[in-house]
C-alpha cells in the first residue's frame, strides 16, 4: 500500500493503475463504518484508493475542526490488511492553496436538515468531493447511508455536473446497542454514551409504527420526538420524515422515505437515519 501527499504523486500513481478504480473518501479516525465501504469497493473494483483529509471548508466557524480526532498511523494500520492500493492524505494547503476561489454549490437539496443547522457545510462538502473526483478520476465512489443527505447531495451533484463516476451508498454500520458508528463518538463518555442510543430507539419506534401501518408523516415525526424527549440529556435539533430523493418533508408516507434526526448530547452532535419503503 502506497501513501502519498502531493497531487503530482497521486496523479502518477493513479495513472499506473488499470481497470476499475474505486474511491472511498474519509476524514480519517477510521472505524468499522469506513472499513465496510473499503471492503465493498475491494469487492467491486480492481483497485481501491482511500482519501484521508479533514476538510476545513465543511466545518462552520464554531464547529470542531481543530478538535476533530486524527490518528493517521492507526488509520493506515487499519487499512493495510484490506488490500488498498493507494492512500491520499493531502494537506489543506494542497487542496486550498493561497488564492483559491472556486466553489461547487448544490441548491435546494442542501437547504433542509443538516443544511438548516450547518448553512455552509454542503458547499465545503461538494467542493472537496468534486476536487477529489477530479484528482483521482475514480469509476466508482462509495459513501455511507449514515450521512444520508450528503449521499443525496453528491448524487445530485454528479447528475448535474456529469461526473463520470458511479455513486454507491452502503448501509450504516452500528455498535451492538444500535449507535451508528462515527468518529465523533469518541467524544461521548459515561452517561452521554449510554444516552446516545436514544437516536436508534427513536428511529426504531417510528419504523415499528410504519410497519404497523402508520403512513401519516407527522405521526412518525411526533413518535421520534416523544422518544427523544424521554432522554433528558438529549437536545433535539430536528426530526424529519422526508422523500428519500428530494428530502422534502412529507404529509403522507409513500415510496422510499428517509427518517432522520440530529441530536446534541452535551457538546457532541449526532445524526442518524433509517430508510423506509
Ligand atoms: P467521514 O470520515 O465521517 O467523513 O465519513 C467518510 C465516509 O464514511 C462517508 O461516506 C460516511 O457516510 C461513511 N460513514 C461514516 N460512518 C459510517 C457508518 N457508521 N456506517 C457506514 N458508513 C459510514
Amino acid at each position: 500500500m502506497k501513501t502519498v501527499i502531493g497531487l503530482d504523486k497521486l496523479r502518477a500513481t493513479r495513472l499506473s493503475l488499470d481497470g476499475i478504480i474505486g474511491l472511498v473518501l474519509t476524514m480519517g479516525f477510521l472505524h468499522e463504518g469506513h472499513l465496510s465501504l473499503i471492503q465493498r469497493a475491494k469487492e467491486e473494483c480492481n483497485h481501491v484508493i482511500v482519501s484521508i483529509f479533514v476538510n476545513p471548508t465543511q466545518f462552520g466557524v464554531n464547529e470542531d475542526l481543530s478538535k476533530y480526532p486524527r490518528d493517521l498511523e492507526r488509520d493506515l494500520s487499519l487499512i493495510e490488511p484490506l488490500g488498498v492500493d493507494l492512500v491520499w492524505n493531502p494537506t489543506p494547503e494542497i487542496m486550498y492553496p493561497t488564492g483559491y476561489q472556486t466553489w461547487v454549490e448544490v441548491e435546494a437539496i442542501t437547504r433542509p436538515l443538516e443544511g438548516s443547522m450547518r448553512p455552509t457545510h454542503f458547499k465545503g462538502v461538494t467542493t472537496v468531493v468534486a476536487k477529489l473526483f477530479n484528482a483521482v478520476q475514480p469509476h466508482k465512489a462509495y459513501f455511507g447511508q449514515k450521512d444520508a443527505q450528503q449521499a443525496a447531495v453528491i448524487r445530485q451533484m454528479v447528475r448535474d455536473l456529469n461526473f463520470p463516476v458511479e455513486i454507491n451508498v452502503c448501509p450504516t454500520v452500528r455498535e451492538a446497542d444500535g449507535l451508528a458508528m462515527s468518529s465523533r463518538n469518541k467524544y461521548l463518555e459515561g452517561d452521554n454514551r449510554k444516552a446516545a442510543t436514544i437516536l436508534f430507539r427513536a428511529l426504531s419506534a417510528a419504523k415499528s409504527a410504519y410497519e404497523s401501518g402508520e403512513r401519516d408523516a407527522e405521526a412518525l415525526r411526533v413518535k421520534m420526538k416523544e422518544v427523544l424527549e424521554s432522554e433528558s440529556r438529549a437536545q433535539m435539533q430536528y426530526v424529519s420524515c422526508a422523500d428519500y430523493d428530494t428530502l422534502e418533508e412529507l404529509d403522507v408516507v409513500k415510496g422510499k422515505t428517509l427518517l432522520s434526526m440530529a441530536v446534541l448530547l452535551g457538546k457532541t452532535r449526532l445524526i442518524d437515519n433509517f430508510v423506509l419503503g
Side-chain angles (χ1 to χ4, degrees):
M1 183 171 84
K2 196 164 174 181
T3 302
V4 299
I5 294 172
L7 195 52
D8 291 348
K9 285 227 169 80
L10 169 80
R11 290 234 166 95
T13 315
R14 163 66 183 89
L15 285 174
S16 72
L17 302 174
D18 290 328
I20 302 294
I21 308 294
L23 174 64
V24 177
L25 301 86
T26 82
M27 297 209 299
F29 211 72
L30 304 182
H31 50 66
E32 290 292 330
H34 299 110
L35 303 185
S36 74
L37 306 187
I38 296 172
Q39 277 152 352
R40 169 92 178 269
K42 264 307 275 184
E43 282 162 25
E44 298 182 356
C45 304
N46 299 108
H47 296 286
V48 175
I49 301 179
V50 175
S51 64
I52 299 180
F53 178 59
V54 182
N55 175 36
T57 65
Q58 71 189 66
F59 287 78
V61 275
N62 295 318
E63 293 181 6
D64 57 348
L65 173 61
S66 62
K67 292 206 201 91
Y68 196 83
R70 294 160 215 243
D71 191 341
L72 183 62
E73 240 172 77
R74 178 177 162 276
D75 289 345
L76 296 177
S77 70
L78 288 171
I79 307 176
E80 177 89 59
L82 301 183
V84 167
D85 295 86
L86 176 62
V87 176
W88 187 29
N89 175 224
T91 61
E93 294 72 28
I94 288 171
M95 295 304 275
Y96 302 105
T98 305
Y100 187 87
Q101 51 183 297
T102 303
W103 301 94
V104 178
E105 272 191 272
V106 175
E107 296 188 343
I109 199 172
T110 63
R111 299 215 177 95
L113 310 179
E114 288 301 284
S116 71
M117 308 304 305
R118 308 178 70 191
T120 59
H121 173 65
F122 286 116
K123 179 179 171 185
V125 170
T126 45
T127 299
V128 82
V129 173
K131 286 170 67 67
L132 291 163
F133 283 174
N134 282 336
V136 173
Q137 306 202 346
H139 300 91
K140 298 172 183 247
Y142 295 82
F143 291 86
Q145 180 58 39
K146 158 80 174 25
D147 299 282
Q149 188 175 15
Q150 171 170 287
V153 168
I154 298 302
R155 280 199 303 265
Q156 183 76 42
M157 178 187 83
V158 161
R159 258 200 313 275
D160 289 350
L161 295 182
N162 312 117
F163 276 99
V165 54
E166 177 189 294
I167 302 301
N168 294 281
V169 181
C170 308
T172 301
V173 177
R174 298 177 180 281
E175 304 285 357
D177 63 3
L179 176 65
M181 290 193 184
S182 164
S183 307
R184 288 187 170 100
N185 291 354
K186 172 186 156 65
Y187 302 136
L188 292 170
E189 277 163 6
D191 290 343
N192 278 346
R193 170 63 189 83
K194 280 189 209 135
T197 58
I198 199 69
L199 287 86
F200 182 73
R201 285 185 276 141
L203 289 162
S204 301
K207 185 175 174 213
S208 323
Y210 169 82
E211 283 169 349
S212 306
E214 182 61 80
R215 292 293 181 271
D216 180 62
E218 185 57 19
L220 297 180
R221 287 187 284 266
V222 167
K223 179 69 70 186
M224 294 189 280
K225 273 184 210 161
E226 281 171 2
V227 177
L228 291 178
E229 278 162 11
S230 72
E231 172 51 69
S232 60
R233 289 173 174 272
Q235 195 188 324
M236 183 191 93
Q237 288 196 326
Y238 64 79
V239 296
S240 162
C241 175
D243 178 85
Y244 179 80
D245 288 310
T246 64
L247 304 185
E248 284 167 14
E249 289 301 317
L250 295 169
D251 293 326
V252 177
V253 176
K254 48 178 177 323
K256 211 170 173 188
T257 299
L258 184 73
L259 298 175
S260 66
M261 57 181 56
V263 169
L264 277 174
L265 269 174
K267 286 192 182 139
T268 308
R269 187 169 184 278
L270 300 174
I271 59 171
D272 202 352
N273 67 83
F274 277 9
V275 180
L276 304 178

